[in-house]
Amino acid sequence: MAKANKLYALCAEIAKLCIDSGIPWTIENPANSLFWQVPDISALLSAGAEIADVHFDNCMLGGTRRKETRLRAWPSAAFSSMAVSCDGSHTHPPWRRGPAFSTSLE
């Protein structure tokens, strides 16, 4: 757990360095992940820059399964066009466990 927390802190630090250097960035994870509650990651939203979350369903952007994903992004407008929810016009394959997890196929 300590190594993971160090990695999360590093992600936040790199994001801040990118802002200072004018380099756009995104951090991606499932929308309902506990990752978003990690203090260093959560604090990015109040970093004073134009940082925003973009939610989308992977099935609308080339994936096959309805997997809600969240991007934390800067600048927010650069990724806002990705904010699209499943329109229900297609079917989704089932989620399965092993030997290859469905998430690895997405």
Side-chain angles (χ1 to χ4, degrees):
M1 188 65 149
K3 287 182 182 182
N5 288 337
K6 286 182 181 181
L7 183 58
Y8 301 154
L10 178 62
C11 286
E13 185 177 330
I14 290 170
K16 291 175 190 172
L17 289 171
C18 286
I19 292 169
D20 292 343
S21 300
I23 300 169
W25 57 265
T26 63
I27 299 172
E28 178 268 337
N29 231 318
N32 62 353
S33 173
L34 295 176
F35 170 79
W36 302 112
Q37 296 177 28
V38 172
D40 288 312
I41 300 302
S42 179
L44 284 172
L45 287 177
S46 58
E50 194 181 321
I51 299 170
D53 286 349
V54 177
H55 292 256
F56 63 91
D57 288 324
N58 281 10
C59 62
M60 296 301 289
L61 297 173
T64 60
R65 290 175 176 80
R66 185 175 182 171
K67 174 183 168 272
E68 187 182 358
T69 298
R70 180 189 311 191
L71 298 177
R72 184 144 300 159
W74 181 85
S76 59
F79 303 96
S80 61
S81 65
M82 293 179 67
V84 60
S85 296
C86 181
D87 60 10
S89 66
H90 51 272
T91 60
H92 305 103
W95 292 98
R96 297 188 183 135
R97 288 187 165 178
F101 285 92
S102 298
T103 52
S104 70
L105 302 173
E106 293 298 315

XYZ file of all heavy atoms in Angstrom:
808
model
N 0.818 -1.197 0.000
C 0.000 0.000 0.000
C 0.862 1.261 0.000
O 0.527 2.229 -0.661
C -0.931 -0.040 1.218
C -1.944 1.046 1.220
S -3.073 0.865 -0.138
C -4.512 1.533 0.551
N 1.969 1.242 0.729
C 2.851 2.411 0.797
C 3.418 2.740 -0.587
O 3.522 3.913 -0.957
C 3.970 2.181 1.800
N 3.771 1.705 -1.359
C 4.304 1.937 -2.705
C 3.243 2.543 -3.601
O 3.535 3.433 -4.405
C 4.836 0.635 -3.296
C 6.126 0.173 -2.680
C 6.633 -1.084 -3.337
C 7.913 -1.554 -2.670
N 8.447 -2.753 -3.314
N 2.015 2.064 -3.480
C 0.923 2.614 -4.285
C 0.703 4.077 -3.939
O 0.538 4.917 -4.837
C -0.349 1.811 -4.070
N 0.707 4.404 -2.670
C 0.502 5.796 -2.259
C 1.613 6.700 -2.785
O 1.366 7.846 -3.173
C 0.394 5.900 -0.745
C -0.926 5.342 -0.245
O -1.902 5.274 -0.973
N -0.945 4.927 1.005
N 2.848 6.192 -2.814
C 3.954 6.971 -3.374
C 3.748 7.202 -4.864
O 4.018 8.289 -5.378
C 5.283 6.257 -3.128
C 5.767 6.341 -1.701
C 7.113 5.661 -1.543
C 7.575 5.733 -0.094
N 8.891 5.097 0.093
N 3.253 6.189 -5.546
C 2.978 6.318 -6.979
C 1.873 7.345 -7.227
O 1.968 8.169 -8.142
C 2.601 4.966 -7.569
C 2.346 4.917 -9.061
C 3.560 5.387 -9.849
C 1.956 3.513 -9.485
N 0.816 7.316 -6.415
C -0.279 8.287 -6.555
C 0.228 9.705 -6.322
O -0.130 10.632 -7.054
C -1.409 7.977 -5.588
C -2.025 6.612 -5.743
C -2.649 5.988 -4.676
C -1.971 5.921 -6.956
C -3.219 4.720 -4.809
C -2.529 4.660 -7.098
C -3.152 4.073 -6.021
O -3.709 2.830 -6.149
N 1.071 9.881 -5.300
C 1.631 11.206 -5.015
C 2.498 11.676 -6.179
O 2.471 12.856 -6.554
C 2.431 11.169 -3.716
N 3.256 10.742 -6.768
C 4.088 11.084 -7.913
C 3.230 11.519 -9.098
O 3.568 12.485 -9.791
C 4.971 9.899 -8.294
C 5.872 10.089 -9.511
C 6.873 11.216 -9.277
C 6.593 8.786 -9.834
N 2.114 10.830 -9.342
C 1.197 11.216 -10.419
C 0.720 12.651 -10.239
O 0.704 13.440 -11.196
C -0.013 10.285 -10.466
S 0.322 8.660 -11.143
N 0.337 12.989 -9.028
C -0.143 14.341 -8.742
C 0.983 15.366 -8.920
O 0.765 16.453 -9.473
C -0.714 14.406 -7.334
N 2.162 15.015 -8.488
C 3.308 15.920 -8.619
C 3.646 16.156 -10.091
O 3.893 17.290 -10.510
C 4.517 15.327 -7.887
C 5.720 16.233 -7.849
C 6.871 15.638 -7.056
O 6.624 14.874 -6.108
O 8.030 15.962 -7.399
N 3.638 15.106 -10.874
C 3.912 15.237 -12.311
C 2.834 16.085 -12.985
O 3.132 16.923 -13.842
C 4.045 13.853 -12.976
C 5.330 13.179 -12.500
C 4.012 13.968 -14.492
C 5.459 11.727 -12.905
N 1.578 15.889 -12.593
C 0.489 16.695 -13.165
C 0.727 18.178 -12.895
O 0.572 19.017 -13.797
C -0.852 16.248 -12.585
N 1.130 18.517 -11.684
C 1.400 19.922 -11.345
C 2.581 20.460 -12.138
O 2.559 21.605 -12.604
C 1.639 20.057 -9.848
C 0.390 19.825 -9.023
C 0.700 19.841 -7.540
C -0.484 19.383 -6.720
N -0.137 19.225 -5.299
N 3.626 19.647 -12.307
C 4.783 20.066 -13.108
C 4.386 20.287 -14.561
O 4.866 21.231 -15.208
C 5.900 19.025 -13.017
C 6.636 18.935 -11.683
C 7.566 17.722 -11.656
C 7.416 20.217 -11.419
N 3.506 19.443 -15.073
C 3.028 19.613 -16.448
C 2.267 20.920 -16.601
O 2.436 21.633 -17.603
C 2.153 18.434 -16.858
S 3.089 16.919 -17.180
N 1.435 21.248 -15.629
C 0.701 22.521 -15.681
C 1.690 23.679 -15.734
O 1.567 24.589 -16.562
C -0.254 22.663 -14.480
C -1.389 21.649 -14.591
C -0.802 24.087 -14.399
C -2.237 21.532 -13.337
N 2.692 23.646 -14.866
C 3.694 24.712 -14.827
C 4.455 24.830 -16.145
O 4.926 25.911 -16.500
C 4.685 24.472 -13.683
C 4.053 24.623 -12.308
O 2.954 25.222 -12.207
O 4.647 24.129 -11.332
N 4.566 23.723 -16.877
C 5.297 23.705 -18.148
C 4.374 23.832 -19.359
O 4.845 23.796 -20.498
C 6.089 22.401 -18.259
O 7.013 22.290 -17.203
N 3.070 23.942 -19.124
C 2.114 24.085 -20.220
C 1.880 22.808 -20.999
O 1.503 22.850 -22.167
N 2.081 21.654 -20.365
C 1.918 20.363 -21.025
C 0.579 19.751 -20.619
O 0.362 19.473 -19.437
C 3.065 19.407 -20.637
C 4.413 20.006 -21.047
C 2.850 18.034 -21.264
C 5.604 19.266 -20.467
N -0.337 19.536 -21.577
C -1.623 18.907 -21.240
C -1.411 17.495 -20.691
O -0.462 16.809 -21.076
C -2.367 18.848 -22.581
C -1.703 19.883 -23.420
C -0.268 19.898 -22.988
N -2.315 17.063 -19.807
C -2.200 15.723 -19.213
C -3.575 15.169 -18.886
O -4.548 15.904 -18.773
C -1.333 15.738 -17.956
C -1.798 16.686 -16.893
C -1.359 17.960 -16.695
C -2.802 16.454 -15.887
N -2.020 18.532 -15.640
C -2.909 17.634 -15.123
C -3.618 15.376 -15.572
C -3.803 17.754 -14.057
C -4.503 15.494 -14.503
C -4.581 16.679 -13.765
N -3.621 13.855 -18.765
C -4.801 13.174 -18.253
C -4.345 12.065 -17.320
O -3.265 11.493 -17.488
C -5.670 12.520 -19.352
O -4.909 11.508 -19.999
C -6.155 13.527 -20.356
N -5.186 11.773 -16.356
C -5.029 10.605 -15.494
C -6.315 9.810 -15.663
O -7.408 10.359 -15.531
C -4.825 10.996 -14.011
C -3.546 11.830 -13.852
C -4.783 9.755 -13.136
C -3.366 12.417 -12.450
N -6.204 8.526 -15.974
C -7.371 7.695 -16.282
C -7.516 6.572 -15.269
O -6.535 6.002 -14.811
C -7.202 7.107 -17.689
C -8.312 6.193 -18.128
C -8.052 4.719 -17.800
O -6.902 4.321 -17.625
O -9.048 3.973 -17.707
N -8.756 6.291 -14.925
C -9.094 5.177 -14.058
C -10.598 4.929 -14.185
O -11.325 5.812 -14.655
C -8.732 5.491 -12.603
C -7.907 4.403 -11.947
O -8.176 3.223 -12.136
N -6.922 4.800 -11.174
N -11.083 3.759 -13.769
C -12.538 3.572 -13.766
C -13.221 4.677 -12.949
O -12.671 5.154 -11.945
C -12.718 2.200 -13.114
C -11.442 1.478 -13.424
C -10.385 2.543 -13.346
N -14.391 5.075 -13.381
C -15.087 6.191 -12.734
C -15.360 5.946 -11.258
O -15.299 6.865 -10.446
C -16.388 6.486 -13.471
N -15.643 4.692 -10.886
C -16.002 4.402 -9.494
C -14.820 3.925 -8.655
O -14.999 3.439 -7.552
C -17.127 3.364 -9.453
C -16.706 2.035 -10.065
O -15.619 1.911 -10.630
N -17.570 1.049 -9.963
N -13.608 4.099 -9.155
C -12.417 3.649 -8.448
C -12.183 4.464 -7.171
O -12.417 5.679 -7.136
C -11.197 3.788 -9.361
O -10.010 3.522 -8.658
N -11.674 3.805 -6.148
C -11.285 4.501 -4.919
C -10.072 5.400 -5.147
O -9.786 6.287 -4.339
C -10.989 3.489 -3.808
C -12.190 2.668 -3.340
C -11.754 1.626 -2.308
C -13.275 3.568 -2.762
N -9.389 5.195 -6.242
C -8.241 6.019 -6.607
C -8.573 7.508 -6.535
O -7.752 8.322 -6.106
C -7.797 5.639 -8.022
C -6.778 6.554 -8.637
C -5.438 6.447 -8.297
C -7.156 7.505 -9.572
C -4.494 7.287 -8.881
C -6.220 8.337 -10.155
C -4.887 8.227 -9.807
N -9.771 7.877 -6.951
C -10.164 9.291 -7.000
C -10.281 9.907 -5.611
O -10.316 11.132 -5.479
C -11.455 9.450 -7.788
C -11.311 8.919 -9.170
C -11.934 7.819 -9.696
C -10.458 9.409 -10.200
N -11.524 7.607 -10.988
C -10.611 8.564 -11.332
C -9.569 10.479 -10.286
C -9.920 8.776 -12.511
C -8.879 10.678 -11.481
C -9.054 9.842 -12.568
N -10.356 9.075 -4.570
C -10.462 9.576 -3.201
C -9.100 9.722 -2.520
O -9.020 10.221 -1.400
C -11.360 8.655 -2.391
C -12.780 8.632 -2.912
C -13.653 7.658 -2.162
O -13.427 7.362 -1.007
N -14.662 7.137 -2.845
N -8.033 9.286 -3.173
C -6.688 9.448 -2.624
C -6.419 10.949 -2.483
O -6.623 11.708 -3.432
C -5.642 8.784 -3.542
C -4.230 9.114 -3.103
C -5.858 7.281 -3.601
N -5.993 11.395 -1.309
C -5.845 12.840 -1.072
C -5.043 13.606 -2.131
O -5.471 14.677 -2.562
C -5.171 12.899 0.302
C -5.662 11.665 0.992
C -5.729 10.617 -0.090
N -3.900 13.087 -2.559
C -3.099 13.805 -3.564
C -3.831 13.931 -4.892
O -3.725 14.953 -5.575
C -1.761 13.091 -3.789
C -0.820 13.249 -2.611
O -0.651 14.383 -2.130
O -0.246 12.227 -2.173
N -4.581 12.908 -5.263
C -5.317 12.928 -6.528
C -6.558 13.819 -6.399
O -6.864 14.622 -7.279
C -5.694 11.493 -6.955
C -4.438 10.632 -7.146
C -6.550 11.498 -8.205
C -3.437 11.147 -8.161
N -7.254 13.689 -5.292
C -8.432 14.520 -5.042
C -8.068 16.004 -4.994
O -8.803 16.845 -5.501
C -9.087 14.082 -3.728
O -10.193 14.872 -3.443
N -6.929 16.319 -4.410
C -6.502 17.708 -4.246
C -6.211 18.391 -5.582
O -6.216 19.625 -5.652
C -5.274 17.771 -3.346
N -5.975 17.617 -6.631
C -5.712 18.233 -7.932
C -6.867 19.125 -8.379
O -6.648 20.136 -9.032
C -5.458 17.152 -8.998
C -4.098 16.473 -8.972
C -4.067 15.316 -9.950
C -2.988 17.470 -9.286
N -8.093 18.746 -8.016
C -9.253 19.547 -8.441
C -9.251 20.942 -7.830
O -9.874 21.858 -8.362
C -10.560 18.828 -8.110
C -10.889 17.632 -8.997
C -12.175 16.965 -8.527
C -11.012 18.035 -10.459
N -8.552 21.107 -6.732
C -8.498 22.427 -6.099
C -7.119 23.062 -6.256
O -6.745 23.948 -5.495
C -8.878 22.317 -4.621
O -8.004 21.424 -3.958
N -6.374 22.632 -7.257
C -5.017 23.138 -7.476
C -5.007 24.541 -8.091
O -3.952 25.114 -8.293
C -4.227 22.165 -8.343
N -6.168 25.086 -8.382
C -6.246 26.435 -8.914
C -6.201 26.511 -10.430
O -6.486 27.535 -11.012
N -5.827 25.436 -11.088
C -5.780 25.428 -12.546
C -7.120 24.944 -13.094
O -7.987 24.509 -12.356
C -4.645 24.518 -13.016
N -7.252 24.992 -14.380
C -8.477 24.547 -15.035
C -8.450 23.026 -15.211
O -8.299 22.495 -16.300
C -8.606 25.236 -16.394
C -9.960 25.116 -17.008
C -10.008 25.814 -18.368
O -9.416 26.888 -18.510
O -10.651 25.259 -19.260
N -8.612 22.322 -14.092
C -8.602 20.865 -14.066
C -10.034 20.391 -13.906
O -10.785 20.943 -13.100
C -7.732 20.340 -12.903
C -6.287 20.804 -13.084
C -7.804 18.822 -12.818
C -5.412 20.547 -11.882
N -10.419 19.387 -14.668
C -11.785 18.883 -14.583
C -11.808 17.385 -14.828
O -10.867 16.812 -15.377
C -12.684 19.589 -15.589
N -12.889 16.773 -14.421
C -13.117 15.358 -14.688
C -13.995 15.211 -15.918
O -14.958 15.957 -16.097
C -13.806 14.683 -13.501
C -12.865 14.461 -12.335
O -11.638 14.629 -12.505
O -13.346 14.092 -11.259
N -13.644 14.242 -16.752
C -14.408 13.906 -17.938
C -14.825 12.450 -17.786
O -13.982 11.586 -17.601
C -13.567 14.087 -19.222
C -14.351 13.659 -20.444
C -13.079 15.516 -19.346
N -16.129 12.194 -17.823
C -16.663 10.834 -17.719
C -17.109 10.368 -19.101
O -17.705 11.142 -19.852
C -17.875 10.802 -16.781
C -17.535 11.058 -15.356
N -17.487 10.057 -14.424
C -17.203 12.190 -14.699
C -17.152 10.558 -13.255
N -16.974 11.858 -13.402
N -16.823 9.101 -19.405
C -17.303 8.537 -20.659
C -17.440 7.028 -20.526
O -16.833 6.412 -19.661
C -16.378 8.887 -21.839
C -14.985 8.335 -21.722
C -14.661 7.086 -22.244
C -13.989 9.069 -21.108
C -13.375 6.577 -22.142
C -12.698 8.569 -21.006
C -12.386 7.319 -21.527
N -18.265 6.456 -21.389
C -18.400 5.008 -21.487
C -17.516 4.535 -22.631
O -17.641 5.022 -23.762
C -19.861 4.607 -21.727
C -20.725 4.802 -20.491
O -20.216 4.566 -19.385
O -21.904 5.180 -20.641
N -16.641 3.581 -22.341
C -15.683 3.098 -23.338
C -16.351 2.604 -24.619
O -15.789 2.726 -25.700
C -14.830 1.974 -22.756
C -13.731 2.492 -21.867
O -13.691 3.664 -21.524
N -12.823 1.622 -21.481
N -17.554 2.044 -24.498
C -18.231 1.496 -25.678
C -18.549 2.569 -26.708
O -18.786 2.260 -27.872
C -19.499 0.751 -25.272
S -20.732 1.788 -24.465
N -18.545 3.812 -26.318
C -18.835 4.892 -27.251
C -17.571 5.456 -27.913
O -17.654 6.288 -28.808
C -19.589 6.019 -26.529
C -20.949 5.597 -26.013
S -22.065 5.013 -27.297
C -22.425 6.540 -28.151
N -16.420 4.973 -27.441
C -15.152 5.479 -27.979
C -14.253 4.341 -28.444
O -13.031 4.410 -28.329
C -14.439 6.328 -26.918
C -15.171 7.593 -26.483
C -14.465 8.263 -25.322
C -15.306 8.561 -27.649
N -14.864 3.269 -28.951
C -14.090 2.190 -29.538
C -14.026 0.907 -28.740
O -13.612 -0.114 -29.260
N -14.411 0.926 -27.479
C -14.442 -0.290 -26.681
C -15.702 -1.089 -26.971
O -16.605 -0.620 -27.661
N -15.774 -2.287 -26.443
C -16.962 -3.108 -26.665
C -17.862 -3.175 -25.443
O -19.046 -3.452 -25.565
C -16.571 -4.540 -27.060
O -15.786 -5.113 -26.012
C -15.787 -4.549 -28.362
N -17.302 -2.923 -24.273
C -18.077 -3.039 -23.035
C -18.418 -1.662 -22.483
O -17.682 -0.700 -22.682
C -17.298 -3.845 -22.004
C -17.207 -5.303 -22.374
C -16.323 -6.074 -21.410
N -16.334 -7.483 -21.747
C -15.610 -8.011 -22.731
N -14.814 -7.261 -23.444
N -15.680 -9.301 -22.976
N -19.516 -1.615 -21.760
C -19.910 -0.364 -21.118
C -19.118 -0.244 -19.823
O -19.526 -0.722 -18.760
C -21.410 -0.331 -20.849
C -21.842 1.001 -20.305
C -23.336 1.078 -20.149
N -23.701 2.396 -19.670
C -24.930 2.834 -19.601
N -25.924 2.062 -19.977
N -25.172 4.042 -19.154
N -17.981 0.399 -19.901
C -17.111 0.619 -18.751
C -17.002 2.120 -18.571
O -16.429 2.827 -19.410
C -15.732 0.020 -19.001
C -14.720 0.311 -17.924
C -13.352 -0.264 -18.321
C -12.274 0.259 -17.427
N -11.717 1.535 -17.911
N -17.587 2.630 -17.479
C -17.525 4.067 -17.247
C -16.125 4.431 -16.762
O -15.627 3.891 -15.780
C -18.569 4.525 -16.233
C -18.611 6.033 -16.130
C -19.595 6.560 -15.113
O -20.312 5.753 -14.483
O -19.624 7.783 -14.927
N -15.518 5.333 -17.481
C -14.155 5.759 -17.210
C -14.156 7.236 -16.852
O -14.987 7.998 -17.328
C -13.277 5.505 -18.457
O -13.270 4.110 -18.718
C -11.854 5.980 -18.266
N -13.209 7.587 -16.007
C -13.038 8.996 -15.646
C -11.621 9.418 -16.007
O -10.668 8.702 -15.752
C -13.243 9.196 -14.151
C -13.088 10.640 -13.703
C -13.083 10.835 -12.202
N -14.174 10.162 -11.517
C -14.478 10.367 -10.241
N -13.772 11.216 -9.514
N -15.466 9.709 -9.686
N -11.523 10.586 -16.623
C -10.247 11.232 -16.835
C -10.212 12.461 -15.953
O -11.174 13.223 -15.918
C -10.084 11.706 -18.288
C -10.089 10.698 -19.413
C -9.978 11.434 -20.747
C -8.964 9.707 -19.262
N -9.148 12.660 -15.244
C -8.891 13.953 -14.622
C -7.934 14.616 -15.587
O -6.906 14.029 -15.947
C -8.273 13.788 -13.240
C -8.079 15.114 -12.543
C -8.324 15.053 -11.060
N -9.689 14.638 -10.767
C -10.063 14.116 -9.603
N -9.185 13.969 -8.643
N -11.310 13.757 -9.399
N -8.256 15.815 -16.059
C -7.539 16.378 -17.191
C -7.253 17.864 -17.047
O -8.003 18.604 -16.416
C -8.366 16.149 -18.453
N -6.165 18.262 -17.677
C -5.805 19.670 -17.813
C -5.210 19.886 -19.188
O -4.362 19.100 -19.604
C -4.784 20.092 -16.764
C -4.442 21.546 -16.910
C -5.128 22.602 -16.380
C -3.362 22.097 -17.660
N -4.537 23.777 -16.763
C -3.436 23.488 -17.553
C -2.342 21.551 -18.434
C -2.541 24.350 -18.174
C -1.444 22.399 -19.060
C -1.544 23.786 -18.917
N -5.632 20.903 -19.914
C -6.765 21.771 -19.610
C -8.077 21.024 -19.868
O -8.155 20.175 -20.746
C -6.595 22.941 -20.568
C -5.817 22.380 -21.725
C -4.951 21.286 -21.157
N -9.052 21.344 -19.107
C -10.306 20.590 -19.151
C -10.967 20.611 -20.524
O -11.512 19.606 -20.974
C -11.276 21.106 -18.096
O -11.553 22.487 -18.308
N -10.912 21.716 -21.211
C -11.574 21.827 -22.511
C -10.943 20.918 -23.564
O -11.610 20.511 -24.514
C -11.553 23.274 -22.992
N -9.686 20.556 -23.388
C -8.990 19.733 -24.381
C -9.587 18.333 -24.489
O -9.445 17.678 -25.520
C -7.510 19.641 -24.043
N -10.260 17.866 -23.452
C -10.767 16.499 -23.441
C -12.283 16.429 -23.272
O -12.842 15.343 -23.192
C -10.073 15.705 -22.328
C -8.573 15.713 -22.471
C -7.800 16.620 -21.772
C -7.950 14.838 -23.338
C -6.422 16.648 -21.916
C -6.571 14.849 -23.498
C -5.811 15.757 -22.786
N -12.948 17.562 -23.245
C -14.394 17.589 -22.992
C -15.200 16.879 -24.083
O -16.282 16.364 -23.814
C -14.891 19.021 -22.813
O -14.645 19.771 -23.990
N -14.691 16.798 -25.300
C -15.429 16.132 -26.370
C -15.541 14.626 -26.143
O -16.363 13.962 -26.770
C -14.761 16.391 -27.726
O -13.465 15.800 -27.755
N -14.756 14.084 -25.223
C -14.815 12.652 -24.921
C -15.953 12.309 -23.966
O -16.248 11.140 -23.757
C -13.490 12.195 -24.316
C -12.330 12.266 -25.293
S -10.780 11.762 -24.539
C -11.102 10.022 -24.264
N -16.599 13.291 -23.392
C -17.665 13.063 -22.411
C -18.924 12.570 -23.115
O -19.763 13.354 -23.534
C -17.948 14.338 -21.626
N -19.030 11.252 -23.252
C -20.182 10.673 -23.934
C -20.607 9.402 -23.199
O -19.783 8.566 -22.857
C -19.871 10.401 -25.431
C -18.712 9.448 -25.599
C -21.086 9.922 -26.168
N -21.903 9.299 -22.958
C -22.464 8.124 -22.282
C -23.040 7.166 -23.306
O -23.443 7.574 -24.403
C -23.570 8.544 -21.307
O -23.033 9.347 -20.288
N -23.127 5.914 -22.939
C -23.689 4.892 -23.825
C -25.105 5.301 -24.228
O -25.934 5.659 -23.390
C -23.705 3.529 -23.128
S -24.363 2.210 -24.168
N -25.356 5.225 -25.525
C -26.678 5.601 -26.030
C -27.614 4.402 -26.161
O -28.753 4.541 -26.602
C -26.560 6.322 -27.374
C -25.903 5.478 -28.458
O -25.694 4.255 -28.253
O -25.589 6.042 -29.520
N -27.130 3.196 -25.794
C -27.967 2.004 -25.824
C -28.253 1.460 -27.208
O -29.095 0.579 -27.366
N -27.556 1.948 -28.225
C -27.830 1.520 -29.590
C -27.086 0.244 -29.991
O -27.158 -0.166 -31.149
C -27.459 2.641 -30.572
O -26.049 2.853 -30.551
N -26.395 -0.376 -29.052
C -25.592 -1.556 -29.355
C -25.588 -2.491 -28.147
O -25.994 -2.105 -27.057
C -24.162 -1.141 -29.708
C -23.553 -0.226 -28.696
N -23.699 1.149 -28.747
C -22.845 -0.471 -27.569
C -23.088 1.697 -27.710
N -22.567 0.724 -26.986
N -25.135 -3.698 -28.360
C -25.037 -4.661 -27.258
C -23.608 -4.682 -26.738
O -22.667 -4.261 -27.416
C -25.434 -6.081 -27.708
O -24.555 -6.477 -28.753
C -26.879 -6.115 -28.184
N -23.474 -5.174 -25.510
C -22.166 -5.273 -24.871
C -21.874 -6.725 -24.537
O -22.755 -7.418 -24.028
C -22.147 -4.466 -23.567
C -22.546 -3.043 -23.740
N -23.785 -2.571 -23.383
C -21.874 -1.990 -24.238
C -23.853 -1.288 -23.644
N -22.700 -0.902 -24.172
N -20.654 -7.198 -24.808
C -20.320 -8.564 -24.397
C -20.306 -8.666 -22.881
O -20.119 -7.659 -22.189
C -18.931 -8.795 -24.985
C -18.404 -7.483 -25.391
C -19.560 -6.534 -25.493
N -20.490 -9.857 -22.340
C -20.509 -10.007 -20.885
C -19.121 -9.812 -20.274
O -18.101 -10.027 -20.929
C -20.982 -11.454 -20.693
C -20.582 -12.148 -21.949
C -20.687 -11.125 -23.036
N -19.119 -9.419 -19.016
C -17.874 -9.339 -18.253
C -17.558 -10.742 -17.755
O -18.431 -11.452 -17.301
C -18.033 -8.390 -17.063
C -18.191 -6.969 -17.479
C -19.354 -6.277 -17.601
C -17.157 -6.066 -17.858
N -19.116 -4.996 -18.023
C -17.762 -4.832 -18.183
C -15.768 -6.164 -17.954
C -17.036 -3.724 -18.594
C -15.056 -5.051 -18.357
C -15.682 -3.847 -18.672
N -16.309 -11.130 -17.851
C -15.897 -12.472 -17.426
C -14.636 -12.402 -16.590
O -13.850 -11.483 -16.706
C -15.626 -13.357 -18.645
C -16.843 -13.582 -19.473
C -16.575 -14.620 -20.542
N -17.759 -14.745 -21.368
C -17.744 -14.793 -22.677
N -16.604 -14.771 -23.320
N -18.869 -14.892 -23.350
N -14.429 -13.461 -15.811
C -13.190 -13.610 -15.056
C -12.318 -14.641 -15.737
O -12.815 -15.601 -16.303
C -13.482 -14.100 -13.639
C -14.100 -13.059 -12.790
C -14.184 -13.572 -11.388
N -14.436 -12.461 -10.500
C -14.593 -12.567 -9.218
N -14.524 -13.754 -8.648
N -14.809 -11.512 -8.479
N -11.025 -14.477 -15.660
C -9.972 -15.359 -16.119
C -10.375 -16.349 -17.196
O -11.535 -16.557 -17.432
N -9.466 -16.955 -17.916
C -8.034 -16.733 -17.724
C -7.586 -15.343 -18.165
O -6.603 -14.817 -17.663
C -7.363 -17.803 -18.584
C -8.363 -18.126 -19.644
C -9.724 -17.893 -19.004
N -8.274 -14.702 -19.084
C -7.988 -13.307 -19.442
C -9.160 -12.477 -18.952
O -10.301 -12.720 -19.336
C -7.827 -13.164 -20.942
N -8.889 -11.506 -18.102
C -9.951 -10.656 -17.580
C -10.491 -9.750 -18.685
O -9.738 -9.261 -19.526
C -9.439 -9.800 -16.422
C -9.266 -10.590 -15.152
C -8.035 -11.166 -14.858
C -10.311 -10.767 -14.285
C -7.860 -11.890 -13.700
C -10.150 -11.505 -13.124
C -8.910 -12.071 -12.833
N -11.787 -9.560 -18.679
C -12.428 -8.721 -19.701
C -11.842 -7.328 -19.743
O -11.723 -6.735 -20.811
C -13.933 -8.645 -19.431
O -14.519 -9.918 -19.503
N -11.474 -6.796 -18.589
C -10.936 -5.434 -18.566
C -9.652 -5.328 -19.367
O -9.369 -4.289 -19.959
C -10.684 -4.968 -17.126
O -9.893 -5.940 -16.457
C -11.968 -4.730 -16.386
N -8.868 -6.395 -19.432
C -7.619 -6.346 -20.198
C -7.896 -6.283 -21.692
O -7.054 -5.861 -22.463
C -6.746 -7.549 -19.874
O -7.304 -8.745 -20.390
N -9.071 -6.708 -22.119
C -9.441 -6.672 -23.527
C -9.906 -5.284 -23.958
O -9.969 -4.984 -25.144
C -10.543 -7.703 -23.814
C -10.186 -9.138 -23.464
C -11.409 -10.023 -23.635
C -9.030 -9.635 -24.306
N -10.269 -4.469 -23.000
C -10.731 -3.122 -23.305
C -9.559 -2.181 -23.411
O -9.592 -1.122 -23.847
C -11.722 -2.632 -22.238
C -13.015 -3.391 -22.228
C -13.813 -3.290 -23.507
O -13.971 -2.195 -24.063
O -14.272 -4.332 -23.981
